[in-house]
Amino acid sequence: MSRHYLFTSESVTEGHPDKICDQISDTILDALLAQDPSSRVAAEVVVNTGLVLITGEITTKAQVNYVNLVRKKIAEIGYTDAVNGFCANSCSVLVALDEQSPDIAQGVNTAAESREQDSEEKFDAIGAGDQGLMFGFACNETPELMPLPISLAHRISRRLAAVRKTGDLPYLRPDGKTQVTVAYEDGQPVGIDTILISTQHAPSIGEITEQAAVQAKIKEDLWSAVIQPVFVGCELQPDDQTRLLVNPTGKFVIGGPQGDSGLTGRKIIVDTYGGYSRHGGGAFSGKDPTKVDRSAAYACRYVAKNIVAAGLAQKCEVQLSYAIGVARPVSILVETFGTGKVDDDRLLELVLQHFELRPAGIIQAFNLQRLPSERGGRFYQDVAAYGHFGRTDLDLPWEQTDKAELLKAALNEPVSAAIG
């Protein structure tokens, strides 16, 4: 019997209060790693009306002006006018930072630092920066091997920001959320059920001041300038049965940190797979790559994406878990939900043979500590909004499918490996 169901994912724009915090945290991380790739960073940010608080634990040799970094990033996002209740030039910026706890640091600071760079001994000697579990996922619903609902929600959010910044829809303001509901039949997307956009806007649009008329104008403009361009080239299109909801409360004038406070790490589902896959609970932003919440989640995505890209499964979820101070994963799980062309146990053997999953090895394989310097001081802040995965607009090492052919070829080879 066929099964019909709906699945929904959401995204937020870069002006959402929580996303402001994520981007500031990762801007700080970029600046520190660009000067000192061995920086240990756990930067947390809080925003509220007229206020930015930077807190957390940082150990670094870098010298940066945190206040200037914050103001520049807020201006880039679009909060340059005091009418928003939050402005780059006038908000208060408070800094309250500690150094990393030596009890935590000793799990990573080992005698390996005196061993040969990137040697096997060093990879085994440098432990995970924390305990925890991470998931990665890929599926064949989109060219970027992401679930369709979160892919569409991100595309709409990015487009919403683009038309604001280009001036095509100058009355839009930085805060916004998008949500897409996709209809599925037997596990395959078959239709676009609902599109929801909540976008901050000016109280009036030109001479249009009556709220119902303002909302009607916004809805009309979003359809032509945002939604239709997003769906160009997509196999599934909105149709006359698709619901379009725009600012359902009737208006969205007060937004950003004036409307809601924001915190780093509060949009972990937006950052990943839109709820389509499981999540280990750890946030990404503001954390240097020794934190496996970040680096191992990237590794999980890399493994899952290469398995799907190799045609070995239609869907693949990978879980890793770590103990603080221990290099090798405590556990590894490969799950293909019955879509695998070979047994999941066989895929696990391939993963153990062909993927580096020790924290120091992941950092080296993806160049995670040096990418900010090599890319002009800007890397992590660009994934802090609109998702860390499936980003066709960015060159991300964990999005490469360079091991897909290797995996296909390896299926004909004997494999013998174990979790060490």
Side-chain angles (χ1 to χ4, degrees), residues 21 79 100 149 182 192 217 230 254 279 302 321 356 373 393 405 418:
C21 296
Y79 287 101
Q100 185 182 47
V182 174
I192 309 300
K217 173 63 173 171
V230 160
I254 299 174
H279 196 293
Y302 180 61
S321 69
E356 175 57 69
S373 175
D393 57 320
E405 292 301 322

Side-chain angles (χ1 to χ4, degrees), residues 361-391:
I362 296 169
I363 291 169
Q364 190 272 338
F366 293 157
N367 201 24
L368 294 177
Q369 290 177 319
R370 299 188 180 278
L371 278 172
S373 175
E374 294 178 3
R375 299 194 182 181
R378 185 179 185 120
F379 178 72
Y380 290 107
Q381 60 192 283
D382 288 334
V383 294
Y386 311 118
H388 292 243
F389 307 117
R391 295 293 297 271

Side-chain angles (χ1 to χ4, degrees), residues 32-72:
L32 297 175
L33 289 179
Q35 291 186 36
D36 177 10
S38 63
S39 296
R40 301 288 167 73
V41 184
E44 315 289 349
V45 175
V46 181
V47 296
N48 206 332
T49 303
L51 173 66
V52 179
L53 170 63
I54 302 171
T55 188
E57 299 78 41
I58 292 176
T59 301
T60 183
K61 297 176 183 177
Q63 298 292 322
V64 301
N65 187 317
Y66 294 107
V67 175
N68 286 349
L69 287 175
V70 168
R71 296 196 190 283
K72 183 178 179 181

Side-chain angles (χ1 to χ4, degrees), residues 229-398:
V230 160
F231 279 90
V232 170
C234 291
E235 182 176 347
L236 289 181
Q237 296 284 325
D239 56 27
D240 56 4
Q241 299 300 308
T242 300
R243 290 184 298 170
L244 174 59
L245 303 175
V246 174
N247 293 342
T249 66
K251 67 175 182 177
F252 185 3
V253 173
I254 299 174
Q258 184 183 22
D260 284 297
S261 61
L263 298 170
T264 297
R266 202 159 57 177
K267 284 291 174 284
I268 59 175
I269 300 303
V270 171
D271 286 342
T272 52
Y273 307 100
Y276 200 100
S277 170
R278 288 173 285 194
H279 196 293
F284 300 156
S285 290
K287 297 178 180 177
D288 75 84
T290 67
K291 279 74 170 175
V292 283
D293 277 341
R294 179 167 219 153
S295 53
Y298 293 163
C300 287
R301 163 65 175 172
Y302 180 61
V303 173
K305 188 174 184 181
N306 275 273
I307 288 172
V308 174
L312 304 184
Q314 296 177 34
K315 298 179 181 180
C316 182
E317 184 182 77
V318 175
Q319 187 204 46
L320 296 175
S321 69
Y322 292 86
I324 187 169
V326 179
R328 294 184 181 270
V330 172
S331 67
I332 306 173
L333 172 68
V334 177
E335 170 65 67
T336 59
F337 309 97
T339 71
K341 291 190 174 181
V342 296
D343 290 341
D344 290 350
D345 288 345
R346 177 63 169 137
L347 290 176
L348 175 59
E349 291 177 338
L350 293 177
V351 171
L352 290 167
Q353 185 177 26
H354 295 288
F355 290 89
E356 175 57 69
L357 299 175
R358 292 166 293 182
I362 296 169
I363 291 169
Q364 190 272 338
F366 293 157
N367 201 24
L368 294 177
Q369 290 177 319
R370 299 188 180 278
L371 278 172
S373 175
E374 294 178 3
R375 299 194 182 181
R378 185 179 185 120
F379 178 72
Y380 290 107
Q381 60 192 283
D382 288 334
V383 294
Y386 311 118
H388 292 243
F389 307 117
R391 295 293 297 271
T392 58
D393 57 320
L394 300 172
D395 178 18
L396 304 177
W398 55 88

Side-chain angles (χ1 to χ4, degrees), residues 120-168:
E120 283 295 308
E121 293 82 2
K122 182 170 183 176
F123 288 174
D124 275 330
I126 298 179
D130 200 355
Q131 71 177 57
L133 53 133
M134 306 83 210
F135 287 94
F137 182 79
C139 65
N140 62 0
E141 292 182 9
T142 63
E144 64 270 28
L145 304 185
M146 287 287 286
L148 183 60
I150 188 65
S151 178
L152 291 174
H154 282 322
R155 291 182 206 174
I156 294 171
S157 286
R158 290 205 304 268
R159 180 68 182 172
L160 196 61
V163 296
R164 168 177 61 87
K165 292 181 177 182
T166 60
D168 291 345

